[in-house]
Amino acid sequence: DTAVSQTPKYLVTQMGNDKSIKCEQNLGHDTMYWYKQDSKKFLKIMFSYNNKELIINETVPNRFSPKSPDKAHLNLHINSLELGDSAVYFCASSTRTGPLGEQFFGPGTRLTVL
Amino acid sequence: EDKVVQSPLSLVVHEGDTVTLNCSYEVTNFRSLLWYKQEKKAPTFLFMLTSSGIEKKSGRLSSILDKKELSSILNITATQTGDSAIYLCASNSGGGADGLTFGKGTHLIIQP
């Protein structure tokens, strides 16, 4: 009955590798997001997807690419990982017809690049 | 670029004290302001404010928005050790399709 779930919870990998983080929501929301939280706990929006269309793409390197096979999933692919990519990545979802702006967050994926 | 500033960045108080956390925002097309509590994992939703001057309350927590001053406060009365967390303020400047702009958070520590 988890609302927003992410896998894996922890990911440790070497520089230069390619990795993916998966996100699923069972809330029936039409918009999903990826946020990055750095070591200083600052949460910053990376992407949002609405009806399979990219709505926001902040100043994120193109090594990061979101992929949404359907409304309930938004996966994050990262190519050529760098040390600076180490952070906690949160997936979130919301609905346009619900309360304005309320987003539900997944448990986060802690990525460590060695 | 939208901006949200929180103060203080950290705060240590004793159990039973009352605390007030501050949030100011500069956003275009403001729609709502949200407060989240983050302990060890994901941020959990506390309040969403859209109208100025109307207090939202949940138990010992309350929040109010001042659209004239572009600010909001989060009050916690009779604090408990379980209130220790990072409190995040975020603005939403569009419909649900836009990401939230977060402040850096206030790290609140409640000492027994």
Side-chain angles (χ1 to χ4, degrees), chain B residues 7-58:
Chain B
S7 64
L9 290 180
S10 64
L11 183 59
V12 182
V13 299
H14 287 102
E15 235 179 344
D17 288 351
T18 293
V19 297
T20 299
L21 310 183
N22 301 289
C23 175
S24 64
Y25 60 90
E26 293 175 28
V27 303
T28 52
N29 303 316
F30 174 83
R31 297 292 295 274
S32 59
L33 187 127
L34 297 93
W35 285 96
Y36 284 84
K37 178 182 181 183
Q38 186 175 25
E39 297 173 87
K40 291 186 178 175
K41 291 189 176 179
T44 53
F45 174 78
L46 293 175
F47 297 111
M48 184 177 65
L49 304 153
T50 56
S51 301
S52 200
I54 297 177
E55 186 183 48
K56 292 274 182 99
K57 200 170 168 66
S58 175

Side-chain angles (χ1 to χ4, degrees), chain B residues 25 49 51-53 64-73:
Chain B
Y25 60 90
L49 304 153
S51 301
S52 200
I64 196 160
L65 177 67
D66 186 337
K67 278 187 172 179
K68 192 175 174 185
E69 297 295 327
L70 305 182
S71 65
S72 173
I73 58 170

Side-chain angles (χ1 to χ4, degrees), chain A residues 31-104:
Chain A
T31 308
M32 296 181 71
Y33 312 80
W34 277 105
Y35 289 84
K36 179 181 179 181
Q37 187 170 45
D38 61 24
S39 57
K40 296 181 180 177
K41 301 292 186 184
F42 187 37
L43 259 173
K44 187 159 183 169
I45 182 74
M46 298 177 72
F47 303 103
S48 73
Y49 252 76
N50 177 271
N51 292 328
K52 297 190 179 183
E53 290 184 33
L54 181 65
I55 305 255
I56 300 175
N57 186 344
E58 296 288 316
T59 53
V60 172
N62 57 16
R63 298 181 294 103
F64 290 78
S65 56
K67 286 185 170 50
S68 179
D70 54 59
K71 268 174 51 170
H73 297 84
L74 182 65
N75 303 324
L76 182 65
H77 297 274
I78 316 169
N79 295 325
S80 303
L81 278 155
E82 299 177 358
L83 293 176
D85 298 333
S86 295
V88 180
Y89 292 84
F90 287 99
C91 177
S93 71
S94 71
T95 176
R96 281 185 165 179
T97 58
L100 294 173
E102 182 179 348
Q103 296 181 10
F104 296 83

